[in-house]
Amino acid sequence: MKSALIFILLGFCFTQYVTVQAQNPIGLKVSASLRGLLLGAAVVVKYLQPNIDQGQYNSNVVKNYQLIVPGYELKPEHIWLDENVYNFSDADWLLGATPNTTGWVQQNGMQLRGHTLVWAYDMRIPRWLLDREASITPEKAKTLLRNYIYTVVGRYRGKIQWWDVINELISNYNNTRPFYIANSFWYRKLGIDYVKYAYIFAHEADPDAKLYYNDFGIQQGGFKADRVFDLIDWLKSENVPIHGVGIQWHIKVSETVTPGDAHYQTAQRFIDRNLDLMVTELDISIPMVDSHPVDPNDIQRQGLAYRSILDYVLYFAPRTPALLTWGFTDRYSWIPAATNYTQGEALPLDANYQPKPAYWQMQDDLARVLLNGIYRLSPKSQPSTCLGIAGNSTRSAVQLYTGACNQTNQQWNLMWLGDGTYRFSPQSVDSSALNAYNVTASTGTVRIYEWIGSFDQEWVISCQGNATYRIGPRNAWQRVLAVDQTSNIVIMNSTRDERQQWIIH
Ligand code: G3I
């Protein structure tokens, strides 16, 4: 405790390894957003429909994720039906069919990353294209590629901020092609230059989109990662627009990540090339027999593994804008079928949409920034003051005090509630708690009220550095606890000024 306390006093944000499971978590999206991270998941459009699992698939995506990626619905194999024939029905449902219309994504305040314009295997190239290969000249192939990318990227211009332009280019099999790339229709027609054309066409179609290369098995360096480094160096030498690398990160629970290891060294090599990194398809599978984990401890290990990769993403921020899992519930995951049912239960929510240790570890890692204990709360704008209660009843007003602030009505018992939020109880009336009122009014009010465990008594805290914190009411987590112009304690919109930052000491 003492070392942890010193850690806090030094002004660092402290996260600790104890997780508490609770009812009704605030949701990973909120905790991630307060850390400046986009948390996401691959989704299947047909499961987002209200009749699927009583709407639980849909509601859990909206509660826990800011960013989605269609697992299938933006791939050439799904939308490119013939040279000028496209099936945009699913993508339009997500994003709207025209520049001035919206879809499920915008209507739910979400964001979407596009996956993928070119998947460099023949089995992922539309059948009609392969069937006509013999009659397609290189010039025609280049025109087809340009028209496809212009059509798809252009249709959702301004709605898709990130695109996997090319997915899984580097082969896992011995070959003599440049950068060890996979053989495919596009390579046979255009050689390695098709890779350049794809990024150039995507940039021409939407100059504001961030263009990524996406692959698996590259997170800890090695032969394949080295080929990706060579590819990126070549693209950059040709002034080809490429902005980031998607590290898919499909792993087994046995793979561990620790600061400074090959995972971190590899990330730094990508960042040194002025690239952003996203973890784009994280799942951490567990050995299974007859649909049961071989070792039940693997579920806990999986939680620590998810936390270690989230730590990696937080460490490299802001060059790591997002972490996405490939799916989010064990109810729908590609892993069991892809591993002949020897691996499974790879995601943060179980098959009944219940949070697993992986969920709680991520919620804890993102949101638990202070140890439980007794603290004074001083607005950064008036550091010689502190927040206290004005009376000694359980329903007192709160006000700022000046002076030593060593009275029990000027100090607060801070308790982590396990659901991503904290309780603040005055030390002098510990059965009450800081309570927000009218949280959506232009100026909400704050008092204490006897603790009943309601959401307006729960608070999110995020670290601003130098022992200062942002405190917001759970029911309006984008707003903040603040001191107004006449030193009243209020809830207001966040403007990040010093009246809204709290020294917690
Ligand atoms: O929905 C149609 C259905 O209407 C039709 O009857 C059926 C006939 O085959 O196909 C169904 O579509 C399937 C689709 O998944 C459903 O979501 C496709 O056949 C099937 O090929 C497709 O598989 C996807 C696979 O990529 C190939 O595109 C998986 O959902 C998707 O999870 C998987 O994702 C890949 C990433 O893109 C790249 N990284 C690896 C990852 C896992 O393989």
Side-chain angles (χ1 to χ4, degrees), residues 67-71 73-75 94-95 111-118 152-153 156 159-167 209-214 278 280-281 324 326:
L67 179 62
I68 61 161
V69 55
E73 296 82 354
L74 269 174
K75 291 174 174 172
L94 285 168
L95 292 165
Q111 293 169 271
L112 182 145
R113 73 183 308 271
H115 172 81
T116 178
L117 295 172
V118 175
V152 177
V153 177
Y156 303 114
K159 295 180 175 180
I160 298 181
Q161 290 166 266
W162 310 270
W163 269 106
D164 287 340
V165 175
I166 294 187
N167 182 61
K210 297 298 183 195
L211 306 181
Y212 276 65
Y213 172 69
N214 192 53
M278 283 188 183
T280 50
E281 304 186 12
L324 301 96
W326 200 252

Side-chain angles (χ1 to χ4, degrees), residues 306-318:
Y306 266 97
R307 186 176 190 131
S308 70
I309 295 164
L310 179 54
D311 282 341
Y312 159 105
V313 168
L314 294 171
Y315 175 86
F316 287 107

Side-chain angles (χ1 to χ4, degrees), residues 135-330:
S135 64
I136 293 174
T137 64
E139 295 68 30
K140 178 66 175 176
K142 187 173 180 179
T143 300
L144 286 165
L145 182 64
R146 178 193 291 109
N147 290 350
Y148 177 73
I149 292 177
Y150 275 22
T151 300
V152 177
V153 177
R155 185 181 185 91
Y156 303 114
R157 178 170 177 167
K159 295 180 175 180
I160 298 181
Q161 290 166 266
W162 310 270
W163 269 106
D164 287 340
V165 175
I166 294 187
N167 182 61
E168 299 179 24
L169 179 66
I170 312 299
S171 172
N172 291 317
Y173 305 102
N174 201 7
N175 72 72
T176 56
R177 287 179 292 275
F179 311 110
Y180 216 72
I181 72 169
N183 189 12
S184 75
F185 169 88
W186 299 114
Y187 178 74
R188 292 190 295 274
K189 290 297 174 187
L190 298 167
I192 188 65
D193 283 352
Y194 90 85
V195 175
K196 288 198 304 185
Y197 299 149
Y199 284 93
I200 291 166
F201 297 155
H203 186 65
E204 288 169 350
D206 186 350
D208 296 327
K210 297 298 183 195
L211 306 181
Y212 276 65
Y213 172 69
N214 192 53
D215 212 332
F216 65 92
I218 59 175
Q219 63 269 15
Q220 49 188 335
F223 180 82
K224 188 172 184 180
D226 288 342
R227 301 295 71 76
V228 176
F229 290 124
D230 294 344
L231 173 76
I232 286 164
D233 291 344
W234 170 64
L235 290 172
K236 283 187 170 282
S237 72
E238 300 273 316
N239 296 315
V240 170
I242 181 167
H243 310 102
V245 170
I247 301 176
Q248 292 185 13
W249 221 305
H250 296 292
I251 58 172
K252 295 184 173 63
V253 71
S254 51
E255 182 169 325
T256 56
V257 180
T258 47
D261 72 358
H263 299 90
Y264 279 69
Q265 293 161 29
T266 304
Q268 194 57 57
R269 290 176 68 189
F270 283 117
I271 290 169
D272 289 346
R273 286 166 168 79
N274 192 29
L275 292 168
D276 285 341
L277 290 181
M278 283 188 183
V279 177
T280 50
E281 304 186 12
L282 180 60
D283 40 40
I284 304 177
S285 58
I286 288 174
M288 309 284 281
V289 169
D290 297 337
S291 302
H292 296 289
V294 171
D295 177 353
N297 294 316
D298 278 344
I299 292 286
Q300 296 302 330
R301 275 188 211 107
Q302 180 187 61
L304 295 176
Y306 266 97
R307 186 176 190 131
S308 70
I309 295 164
L310 179 54
D311 282 341
Y312 159 105
V313 168
L314 294 171
Y315 175 86
F316 287 107
R319 294 309 307 252
T320 44
L323 182 154
L324 301 96
T325 51
W326 200 252
F328 64 95
T329 166
D330 293 336

